[in-house]
Amino acid sequence: MEMEPDLSDLKIGFIGAGNMAFGIAQGLLMSGKVQPANVMVSAPSDNNLGRFQERGMVVSHCNADVVHSSRLVFLAVKPHLIPIVLQEISPAVTLRHTVVSVAAGVTIATLEQLLPSSTTVLRLMPNLPCVVQEGALLFSRGSMAGGEESELLKALLAPCGLVEEGPESWIDAHTGLSGSGVAFVYLFAEALAEGGVKMGMPSALANRIAAQTVLGAGRLLRDSGKHPAQLRSEVCTPGGTTIFGLHVLEQGGMRAAAMGAVEAATERARELGRKKDQLKCAKSTK
């Protein structure tokens, strides 16, 4: 039986104080294994730092301070800021540090090139529901990251939702499926509610019921372990309301549209990643 990593004395830093950093930080504290005083967060202004400070975390305007004070550092800034931030903090990064990037489209190769040689790097792709500890997170190891770092990240992030590890080639597909997929679900929930309004239900009530329908269906799908098709068939009765409704969705091409949306979002993520790599190469040759 593997021993769970000891997190009580681990010093953790966040460079960037947006919603994703806040969601992950909240998850870390919810476990009770990470003390707020052991978490430090930096951002250029006070706009987003107050909510971290209210929960007992240390805040700063200096990114280098975060690196000096931490062993595990989350890079949670916009992708276009990654080269600037890494240039700033690189002198403070040592072999004792583990750097975890949540910047979309920034590859492990880019991170490893911009950071000092032999830096331990992992790439993490969370999604918006991390802010309510119901996220879907996928991470990949860099060339210097091993099983110890993998187990540490899994133990830390478990309160944030589902945490999976896979090759970096899966990250873009995860972006299309789960990162962008959250918006696809919201669109479907919106359409469900509008259907209720069309049939005479008050808008506010229709939206509450649509939200609960999505939540309940998702929990049942996750917790039952059944395939979606099996659960769908269990709702249908011969000649009943559900099969008539499903027929209309199939006629409208919903299945193909959903698959196409995931494909389009994935390809866009790959395209953005290639552009960032090209930019990195261009800068490195100057």
Side-chain angles (χ1 to χ4, degrees):
M1 182 176 179
E2 292 186 4
M3 294 289 292
E4 188 173 296
D6 182 12
L7 309 178
S8 58
D9 295 322
L10 180 65
K11 304 291 187 179
I12 301 170
F14 287 86
I15 297 178
N19 288 335
M20 208 59 74
F22 184 63
I24 294 173
Q26 279 202 120
L28 303 186
L29 299 186
M30 282 185 65
S31 70
K33 299 172 184 176
V34 176
Q35 299 305 308
N38 288 343
V39 181
M40 187 173 189
V41 185
S42 65
S45 73
D46 291 327
N47 292 344
N48 292 325
L49 290 176
R51 54 185 177 172
F52 292 90
Q53 203 165 18
E54 288 170 2
R55 286 159 176 78
M57 291 175 264
V58 182
V59 300
S60 172
H61 295 304
C62 179
N63 295 333
D65 283 352
V66 170
V67 178
H68 285 302
S69 302
S70 309
R71 186 171 78 79
L72 180 68
V73 179
F74 287 89
L75 297 174
V77 299
K78 298 293 185 184
H80 70 277
L81 295 176
I82 286 290
I84 300 169
V85 169
L86 293 188
Q87 184 177 26
E88 175 190 357
I89 69 171
S90 282
V93 176
T94 68
L95 292 178
R96 76 181 182 92
H97 287 103
T98 296
V99 178
V100 181
S101 172
V102 299
V106 181
T107 64
I108 290 172
T110 295
L111 296 166
E112 290 184 336
Q113 181 168 332
L114 294 174
L115 285 163
S117 176
S118 299
T119 300
T120 301
V121 172
L122 298 99
R123 182 181 173 193
L124 171 69
M125 184 52 58
N127 68 351
L128 185 59
C130 281
V131 301
V132 291
Q133 287 71 58
E134 289 290 356
L137 305 92
L138 178 69
F139 72 90
S140 300
R141 305 183 204 177
S143 60
M144 302 303 296
E148 181 180 349
E149 288 78 20
S150 174
E151 292 306 312
L152 174 62
L153 202 57
K154 287 178 182 177
L156 272 175
L157 297 177
C160 297
L162 175 69
V163 184
E164 299 284 356
E165 179 180 2
E168 190 178 18
S169 60
W170 292 358
I171 293 282
D172 291 330
H174 177 71
T175 301
L177 170 62
S178 188
S180 300
V182 171
F184 306 157
V185 173
Y186 292 152
L187 178 62
F188 182 67
E190 180 186 8
L192 276 181
E194 288 177 345
V197 172
K198 183 180 180 182
M199 294 295 101
M201 185 177 286
S203 178
L205 177 61
N207 278 287
R208 290 198 300 272
I209 292 176
Q212 185 62 36
T213 300
V214 171
L215 174 63
R219 289 192 63 177
L220 185 58
L221 176 60
R222 181 191 66 186
D223 297 345
S224 71
K226 295 179 180 179
H227 192 277
Q230 183 179 350
L231 288 172
R232 174 175 52 79
S233 68
E234 289 174 2
V235 180
C236 294
T237 55
T241 60
T242 305
I243 193 64
F244 272 70
L246 286 170
H247 185 207
V248 173
L249 290 176
E250 293 287 9
Q251 285 179 319
M254 179 185 169
R255 186 188 303 268
M259 293 173 66
V262 173
E263 180 180 9
T266 301
E267 291 299 339
R268 179 57 175 165
R270 289 172 178 165
E271 180 185 351
L272 292 173
R274 286 192 294 268
K275 286 182 178 179
K276 290 181 177 70
D277 284 342
Q278 289 167 2
L279 181 60
K280 172 201 71 174
C281 293
K283 287 183 177 180
S284 66
T285 57
K286 289 183 179 179

